[in-house]
């Protein structure tokens, strides 16, 4: 059958590769017709990184809006799956498959793709020439497929202009040689960078959108000179959260536009009210691979679970539309076994009805449309079910992971029973074990078991040694139970803020010391409690985070709206210096002043930020002098660490969050005075500090969504992208306030009992983290089939791991400090 001249070679392969597709069955009744063919000459695929669905308007993109009004295009809403970061979204676009969550890690170091995709089919089967310019992730994924390519770094977010200008410069040359390529892919990054630094409401966004509109106009006018119809595909790889980042599952992160613009009119999918988002047809992002395959008459990628956007093909004869739907359904059938009778039976009946329709001498259009509608309904259900089926998890691997979590946390806890050098080794081991990348799972489990048995002679009493059982500790260690609710994970900050405030009040009410204080001392003690609660209320209202109410106005938004940041930034730095004045010397005062000047200048002149400016060079130099001078003067190491961390925290924080450093320092100062007044139990005091770290973590605007990570902080002081430095700075900024609380807590401990108190604190910390890790492992196991497993539970798992690494790093650094102190000072 593949010898028939009417059938292209790649189409013969499609026919021959499926048992249901036979020449006589579909082609014989229409011998002179090819049912699956190339429909467009050229495709220009423009991916605008972080393109939100509400960015398109007459003002921001007038030419694109005009084309949609005149029926030269179709507008769709694209539903994007989590995680909403670039690498997995590109994979979804070209393979039609839902990438694994591991791709969020590989996003920072992508590798060549080996999964079947439309780029392969276009270049290898159809011998099409594809040219690419833009995000270098594409070049890494397809190192040999592009005829010409030039990638730009996607991670240096301070670049709003050059990163897009480089792409457009290549575009001008390609439009002068239209016959030298078949598909042109452009991936623009400037909009995403603006979002990371300034958010979606920045005054820079409209200008960037207008720049993209000019690109579309230039491309459309050039393609219009060709005799055959060509197509422009405009889409976003993901959206942008209200805070400017992405990676989570809020509406504006998982909903992006897909706009198809043709050089010919497209009345088949014209929508009069395309500006009304409620009336726009919604599709899945993975549908793009199947749709582009149908536009060029290609085979569908092997793992594609998407469905063809059939409304786009409404201008074709009904027989061709039916064949496209049939081939799509046939492809999806392979994802189901014989037990899926609801799909296979329905497909067989629909296929029979389709055949009878082709055999009719006079084919009624209504009958054909009804069959097509039934196909469309079947495709929607099959696509959804096949996507869910491919998301099944391996139960044995999950159980092995749970066992590893339990063993690792036990090892981390019990390391306090070892000598210092053993503690250092176990701190390193805990970090590697938590990463899961050191050894195969089964070897790790056996190795951990041997460590626990031989190294510790482990017994249950060590877990509960020196543990003061009370209602306070019971609440603390049972808190991870809240993670069995997806809503509590999304809005965890409300519970953490409540716990911290309620704990202060409860300690005050239950303290016998407060009852024994009279006169002015009682007023002072009471005033401290009220003041710390007021500061806590300010901190909790500073950044509206979470999922459901993150769009509401918060205090930081008000500061930006009324333009007070120019005053708040230097005032915050000055207050911070005043609070720490007794620990500072002249060098440190100059350093913090330089940081204040830098933050104020970069806020007033945004284009001056992100580089190794004179202020940052001064800060780095003075900090080195400060550390050396402090060591010579025998200043306590913990005070040196705290002073350096204060400067780093101010340097990395967003402009509106700098005041939070001051608020947290004021709270820690008051908290330690309250400890002196009320004298709470030792275990309760340590738990209270831990609760404060959680509350401060959410003060910053952090949440259990990846979108809340402030990527901009990773580029402070850098002139180019460095994977290690950027990751380290982002990590430091994310945990800057919790680290500051821990350092000030250690700083306020008595010198003679410092080592013992820190050891007890780390024991409490390890118990707490062990409970969280082990309980959350059970949560993930129980909810592995939950609707929100990838959008809510998986991101929280990353944060649980991040907190574990954070705690292990703190222990490791403290252990190194002990070793250095013992080796070089004593």
């Amino acid at each position: 059958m593949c010898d028939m001249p009417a059938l292209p070679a790649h189409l013969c392969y499609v026919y021959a590769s499926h048992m249901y597709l036979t020449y006589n069955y579909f082609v014989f009744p229409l011998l002179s017709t090819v049912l699956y063919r190339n429909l467009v000459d050229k495709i220009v695929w423009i991916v605008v990184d972080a393109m939100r669905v509400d960015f398109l308007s007459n003002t921001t993109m007038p030419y694109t809006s005009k084309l949609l009004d005149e029926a030269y295009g179709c507008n769709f809403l694209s539903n994007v799956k989590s995680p909403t970061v670039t690498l997995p979204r590109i994979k979804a676009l070209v393979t039609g498959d839902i990438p694994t969550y591991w791709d969020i890690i590989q996003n920072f170091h992508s590798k060549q793709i080996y999964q079947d995709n439309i780029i392969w089919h276009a270049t290898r089967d159809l011998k099409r020439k594809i040219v690419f310019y833009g995000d270098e992730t594409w070049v890494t994924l397809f190192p040999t497929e592009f005829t010409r390519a030039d990638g730009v770094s996607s991670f240096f977010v301070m670049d709003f202009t050059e990163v897009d200008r480089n792409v457009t410069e290549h575009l001008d040359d390609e439009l002068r040689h239209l016959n030298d390529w078949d598909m042109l892919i452009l991936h623009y990054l400037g909009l995403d960078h603006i979002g990371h630094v300034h958010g979606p409401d920045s005054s820079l966004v409209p200008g960037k959108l207008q720049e993209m509109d000019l690109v579309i106009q230039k491309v459309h006018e050039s393609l219009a000179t060709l005799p055959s119809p060509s197509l422009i595909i405009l889409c976003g790889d993901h959206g942008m959260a209200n805070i400017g980042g992405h990676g989570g599952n809020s509406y504006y992160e998982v909903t992006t536009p897909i706009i198809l613009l043709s050089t010919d009119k497209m009345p088949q999918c014209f929508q009069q009210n395309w500006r009304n988002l409620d009336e726009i047809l919604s599709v899945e992002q993975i549908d793009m691979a199947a749709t582009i395959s149908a536009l060029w008459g290609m085979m569908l990628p092997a793992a594609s679970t998407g469905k063809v956007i059939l409304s786009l093909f409404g201008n074709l004869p009904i027989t061709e539309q039916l064949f496209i739907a049939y081939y799509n359904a046939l492809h999806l059938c392979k994802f189901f076994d014989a037990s899926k009778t609801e799909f296979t039976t329905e497909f067989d009946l629909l296929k029979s009805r389709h055949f009878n329709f082709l055999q009719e001498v006079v084919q009624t259009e209504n009958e054909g449309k009804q069959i097509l509608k039934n196909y469309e309904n079947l495709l929607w259900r099959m696509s959804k079910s096949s996507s869910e089926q491919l998301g099944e998890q391996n139960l044995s691997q999950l159980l092995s992971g749970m066992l590893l979590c339990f063993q690792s946390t036990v090892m981390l806890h019990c390391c306090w029973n070892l000598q210092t050098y053993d503690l250092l080794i176990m701190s390193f081991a805990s970090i590697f074990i938590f990463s899961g990348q050191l050894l195969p799972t089964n070897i790790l489990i056996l190795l951990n078991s041997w460590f626990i048995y031989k190294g510790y002679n482990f017994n249950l009493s060590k877990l509960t040694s020196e543990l003061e059982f009370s209602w306070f500790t019971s609440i603390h260690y049972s808190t991870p139970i809240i993670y069995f609710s997806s809503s509590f994970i999304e809005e965890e900050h409300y519970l953490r803020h409540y716990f911290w405030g309620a704990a202060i009040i409860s300690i005050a009410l239950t303290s016998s010391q407060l009852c024994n204080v009279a006169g002015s001392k009682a007023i002072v003690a009471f005033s401290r409690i009220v003041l710390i609660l007021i500061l806590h209320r300010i901190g909790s209202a500073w950044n509206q985070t979470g999922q459901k109410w993150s769009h509401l106005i918060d205090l930081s938004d008000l500061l930006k709206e009324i333009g007070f940041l120019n005053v708040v930034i230097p005032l915050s730095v000055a207050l911070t210096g005043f609070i720490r004045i007794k620990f500072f010397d002249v060098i440190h005062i100059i350093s913090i002043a330089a940081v204040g000047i830098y933050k104020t200048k970069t806020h007033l002149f945004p284009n001056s930020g992100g580089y190794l400016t004179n202020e940052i060079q001064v800060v780095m130099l003075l900090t080195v002098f400060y550390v050396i001078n402090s060591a010579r003067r025998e200043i306590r190491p913990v005070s040196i660490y705290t002073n350096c961390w204060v400067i780093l925290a101010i340097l990395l924080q967003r402009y509106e969050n700098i005041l939070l450093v001051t608020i947290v320092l004021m709270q820690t100062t008051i908290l330690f005075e309250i400890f002196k007044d009320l004298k709470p139990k030792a275990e309760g005091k340590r738990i209270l500090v831990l609760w404060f770290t959680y509350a401060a973590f959410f003060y910053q605007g952090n949440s259990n969504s990846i979108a809340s990570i402030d990527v901009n902080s990773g580029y402070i002081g850098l002139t180019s992208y460095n994977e290690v430095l950027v990751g380290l700075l982002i990590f430091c900024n994310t945990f800057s306030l919790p680290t500051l609380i821990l350092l000030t807590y250690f700083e306020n401990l008595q010198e003679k009992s410092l080592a013992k108190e820190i050891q007890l604190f780390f024991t409490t910390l390890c118990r707490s983290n062990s409970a969280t890790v082990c309980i959350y492992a059970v949560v993930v196991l129980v909810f592995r089939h939950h609707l929100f497993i990838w959008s809510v539970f998986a991101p929280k798992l990353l944060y649980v791991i991040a907190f574990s690494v954070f705690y292990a790093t703190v222990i490791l650094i403290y252990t190194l400090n002990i070793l250095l102190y013992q080796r070089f000072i004593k």
Side-chain angles (χ1 to χ4, degrees):
M1 68 181 173
C2 287
D3 295 329
M4 292 296 296
L7 295 176
H10 71 279
L11 185 55
C12 290
Y13 182 73
V14 172
Y15 277 98
S17 63
H18 297 296
M19 60 179 294
Y20 293 117
L21 275 174
T22 63
Y23 175 73
N24 291 327
Y25 191 68
F26 274 101
V27 182
F28 183 74
L30 303 165
L31 187 59
S32 62
T33 303
V34 177
L35 300 177
Y36 194 63
R37 58 191 172 88
N38 177 27
L39 299 173
V40 294
D41 181 15
K42 298 186 184 298
I43 295 177
V44 178
W45 193 353
I46 303 175
V47 180
V48 180
D49 211 292
M51 177 78 173
R52 277 174 48 142
V53 72
D54 60 338
F55 279 167
L56 177 61
S57 68
N58 292 337
T59 304
T60 57
M61 306 186 76
Y63 187 82
T64 304
S65 301
K66 177 186 175 183
L67 292 179
L68 291 174
D69 287 332
E70 296 177 356
Y72 280 96
C74 306
N75 187 21
F76 302 97
L77 294 185
S78 171
N79 297 317
V80 180
K81 302 295 183 183
S82 293
T84 49
V85 294
T86 297
L87 175 62
R89 303 284 49 89
I90 293 176
K91 285 186 175 181
L93 286 168
V94 299
T95 66
D97 188 18
I98 299 176
T100 62
Y101 215 83
W102 180 247
D103 284 314
I104 198 170
I105 306 298
Q106 294 181 326
N107 185 65
F108 297 96
H109 192 68
S110 56
K111 299 178 181 179
Q112 182 177 356
I113 189 172
Y114 292 102
Q115 190 176 11
D116 193 27
N117 58 80
I118 59 174
I119 304 297
W120 284 3
H121 287 301
T123 57
R124 300 176 184 182
D125 297 344
L126 302 187
K127 307 302 180 184
R128 297 293 179 100
K129 294 181 178 180
I130 301 180
V131 177
F132 171 80
Y133 300 108
D135 187 344
E136 63 185 358
T137 304
W138 289 79
V139 181
T140 308
L141 292 174
F142 305 103
T144 61
E145 301 301 322
F146 298 131
T147 304
R148 290 181 298 280
D150 185 18
V152 296
S153 176
S154 60
F155 295 112
F156 191 59
V157 299
M158 301 304 296
D159 182 6
F160 307 151
T161 307
E162 291 299 323
V163 71
D164 288 343
R165 184 178 297 165
N166 293 338
V167 177
T168 305
E169 286 177 355
H170 288 293
L171 173 63
D172 295 333
D173 186 58
E174 295 299 337
L175 293 180
R176 286 191 292 267
H177 303 86
L178 292 175
N179 294 325
D180 199 28
W181 51 267
D182 299 293
M183 176 184 280
L184 176 62
I185 304 176
L186 308 172
H187 191 142
Y188 286 94
L189 293 162
L191 183 66
D192 177 67
H193 291 182
I194 292 172
H196 279 299
V197 178
H198 299 293
D201 298 323
S202 169
S203 59
L204 300 175
V205 169
K208 180 57 66 175
L209 293 173
Q210 290 165 8
E211 179 185 340
M212 296 297 99
D213 192 57
L214 290 174
V215 169
I216 293 171
Q217 181 178 358
K218 183 183 301 184
V219 172
H220 189 264
E221 291 175 349
S222 297
L223 295 178
T225 62
L226 297 174
S228 302
S230 297
L231 191 69
I232 299 173
I233 301 174
L234 172 66
C235 68
D237 55 344
H238 52 73
M240 183 190 299
N242 291 324
I243 58 176
H246 54 85
N249 66 322
S250 66
Y251 175 79
Y252 288 113
E253 291 172 84
V254 300
T255 311
T256 63
I258 292 181
I259 302 171
L260 296 102
L261 304 171
S262 176
T263 52
D264 291 343
K265 289 201 173 186
M266 306 172 68
Q268 69 273 17
C269 57
F270 173 67
Q271 293 174 304
Q272 186 69 38
N273 297 323
W274 62 265
R275 293 174 181 81
N276 188 346
L277 299 183
D278 296 331
E279 297 186 18
I280 299 177
L281 178 64
S282 181
V283 299
E284 299 296 323
Q285 188 181 55
I286 56 175
D287 296 343
M288 284 302 300
T291 303
I292 293 176
S293 296
L295 285 169
W296 263 0
M298 298 188 298
M299 285 186 63
L300 298 178
S304 172
T305 58
K307 58 189 183 302
V308 177
I309 305 174
L310 292 174
S311 62
L312 189 64
F313 302 85
N315 61 326
L316 297 179
I318 190 64
T319 52
E320 293 190 43
Q321 295 183 58
L322 288 173
F323 183 83
I324 292 172
Y326 169 83
Y327 174 42
N328 196 181
L330 181 65
H331 172 81
L332 292 176
C333 273
K334 70 180 182 181
F335 295 108
F336 305 105
D337 53 30
S339 63
K340 292 286 185 179
T341 54
E342 70 274 17
F343 293 139
T344 55
T345 302
E346 185 177 350
F347 178 61
D348 288 339
L349 292 174
L350 194 55
K351 181 175 59 177
S352 177
R353 186 178 173 187
H354 184 181
F355 174 75
N356 293 333
F357 172 75
L358 292 178
Q359 298 299 315
E360 294 176 358
V361 177
V362 179
Q363 298 172 348
T364 61
E365 186 176 355
N366 289 337
E367 173 65 10
K369 288 183 177 180
Q370 185 59 46
I371 297 173
L372 185 65
K373 185 177 181 180
N374 292 341
Y375 265 131
E376 193 168 8
N377 181 270
L378 176 64
L379 286 171
W380 184 86
R381 289 183 287 116
M382 291 176 73
S383 177
K384 181 180 179 181
S385 182
S386 58
S387 298
E388 293 172 352
Q389 185 169 296
L390 291 174
E392 293 290 330
Q393 294 86 30
N394 188 308
L395 183 59
S396 62
Q397 291 181 356
L398 288 173
L399 292 174
S400 298
M402 285 181 58
L403 183 56
L404 271 177
C405 287
F406 176 74
Q407 288 182 327
S408 301
T409 51
V410 168
M411 292 166 67
L412 188 61
H413 168 80
C414 293
C415 67
W416 290 114
N417 297 292
L418 304 177
Q419 298 298 319
T420 303
Y421 286 98
D422 295 324
L423 174 60
L424 177 62
I425 294 172
M426 289 312 305
S427 298
F428 273 116
S430 298
I431 293 176
F432 283 116
I433 289 170
F434 273 123
S435 71
Q437 297 294 297
L438 187 62
L439 291 171
T441 304
N442 54 346
I443 298 178
L444 267 179
I445 292 174
L446 293 174
L447 183 63
N448 290 357
S449 301
W450 183 87
F451 264 119
I452 292 173
Y453 178 75
K454 287 287 187 181
Y456 313 123
N457 294 320
F458 175 71
N459 57 72
L460 187 63
S461 63
K462 291 179 181 178
L463 276 176
T464 57
S465 61
E466 301 185 31
L467 177 61
E468 301 172 359
F469 287 101
S470 65
W471 67 270
F472 199 56
T473 56
S474 301
I475 292 176
H476 174 67
Y477 291 112
S478 61
T479 297
I481 295 175
I482 66 174
Y483 299 140
F484 281 92
S485 167
S486 62
S487 295
F488 280 164
I489 293 176
E490 290 179 330
E491 311 300 331
E492 183 183 356
H493 58 288
Y494 285 113
L495 291 172
R496 294 297 181 180
H497 291 159
Y498 172 78
F499 284 161
W500 166 235
I504 293 293
I505 296 174
S506 62
I507 286 180
L509 293 177
T510 58
S511 173
S512 59
Q513 296 293 326
L514 188 60
C515 299
N516 298 330
V517 177
S520 59
K521 290 185 178 181
I523 296 174
V524 172
F526 181 77
S527 300
R528 286 171 178 157
I529 294 172
V530 172
L531 182 57
I532 198 172
L533 290 175
I534 292 174
L535 292 172
H536 169 57
R537 186 68 188 91
I538 295 173
S540 62
W542 198 259
N543 286 295
Q544 190 65 256
T545 184
Q547 193 70 27
K548 295 180 175 63
W549 298 284
S550 60
H551 62 283
L552 299 179
I553 298 293
D554 51 44
L555 292 180
S556 64
D557 292 330
L558 291 176
L559 276 179
K560 288 185 285 187
E561 285 183 7
I562 61 181
F564 272 16
L565 280 179
N566 297 335
V567 177
V568 170
I569 292 173
L571 181 62
S572 302
V573 174
L575 284 174
T576 301
F578 178 76
I579 295 172
R580 298 287 304 172
I581 192 66
K582 68 176 181 179
F583 302 101
F584 281 4
D585 57 15
V586 176
I587 297 177
H588 212 73
I589 291 174
I590 297 174
S591 297
I592 200 169
V595 171
I597 294 171
Y598 167 79
K599 298 299 286 189
T600 304
K601 187 180 77 171
T602 52
H603 176 255
L604 293 174
F605 309 101
N607 292 332
S608 65
Y611 300 99
L612 196 62
T613 60
N614 294 331
E615 292 83 5
I616 293 184
Q617 294 181 47
V618 169
V619 170
M620 294 171 62
L621 186 63
L622 290 178
T623 300
V624 172
F625 285 151
Y626 168 75
V627 172
I628 296 173
N629 185 53
S630 299
R632 291 176 58 189
R633 293 165 55 194
E634 298 185 357
I635 296 177
R636 293 177 67 188
V638 68
S639 294
I640 300 175
Y641 302 154
T642 306
N643 289 340
C644 293
W645 194 264
V646 167
I647 288 181
L648 182 64
I650 295 174
L651 190 63
L652 298 181
Q653 288 290 348
R654 298 197 303 265
Y655 301 113
E656 63 272 19
N657 278 358
I658 294 176
L659 187 58
L660 286 177
V661 178
T662 309
I663 291 174
V664 167
L665 283 175
M666 292 173 67
Q667 283 183 275
T668 55
T669 304
I670 298 169
L671 179 64
F672 302 136
E673 293 299 322
I674 291 176
F675 284 167
K676 293 177 183 178
D677 293 337
L678 305 184
K679 295 181 174 55
K681 293 182 178 179
E683 181 77 3
K685 182 166 60 176
R686 294 190 288 267
I687 290 175
L688 201 62
V689 172
L690 280 179
W691 282 10
F692 188 17
T693 62
Y694 275 109
F697 175 80
F698 291 110
Y699 283 175
Q700 291 180 235
N702 293 324
S703 69
N704 290 321
S705 169
I706 301 169
S708 62
I709 297 176
D710 182 14
V711 179
N712 181 42
S713 62
Y715 299 88
I716 301 296
L718 300 183
T719 57
S720 60
Y721 176 69
N722 182 294
E723 190 174 284
V724 175
L725 287 178
V726 169
L728 181 62
L729 289 175
I730 292 174
F731 188 83
C732 288
N733 178 63
T734 304
F735 293 95
S736 60
L737 295 186
T739 304
L740 183 59
I741 293 169
L742 294 180
L743 288 172
T744 52
Y745 172 67
F746 299 154
E747 188 179 43
N748 278 270
L749 295 174
Q750 295 292 329
E751 182 69 32
K752 59 182 180 181
S753 60
L754 179 63
K756 178 65 175 177
E757 287 296 328
I758 290 181
Q759 179 175 339
L760 292 174
F761 179 82
F762 283 159
T763 302
T764 301
L765 184 151
C766 291
R767 289 196 195 103
S768 174
N769 192 61
S770 299
T772 301
V773 170
C774 294
I775 291 177
Y776 200 76
V778 176
V779 170
V780 173
L781 180 66
V782 171
F783 291 106
R784 64 187 184 278
H785 298 300
H786 195 280
L787 179 64
F788 299 146
I789 180 62
W790 298 117
S791 59
V792 177
F793 293 100
K796 176 59 183 177
L797 179 61
L798 293 180
Y799 275 99
V800 170
I801 295 172
F803 265 100
S804 300
V805 173
F806 167 63
Y807 292 146
T809 304
V810 171
I811 295 173
L812 173 62
I813 292 174
Y814 171 71
T815 306
L816 286 171
N817 181 66
I818 291 178
L819 291 177
L820 293 173
Y821 183 80
Q822 292 175 345
R823 175 68 179 84
F824 296 106
I825 298 180
K826 282 193 172 181

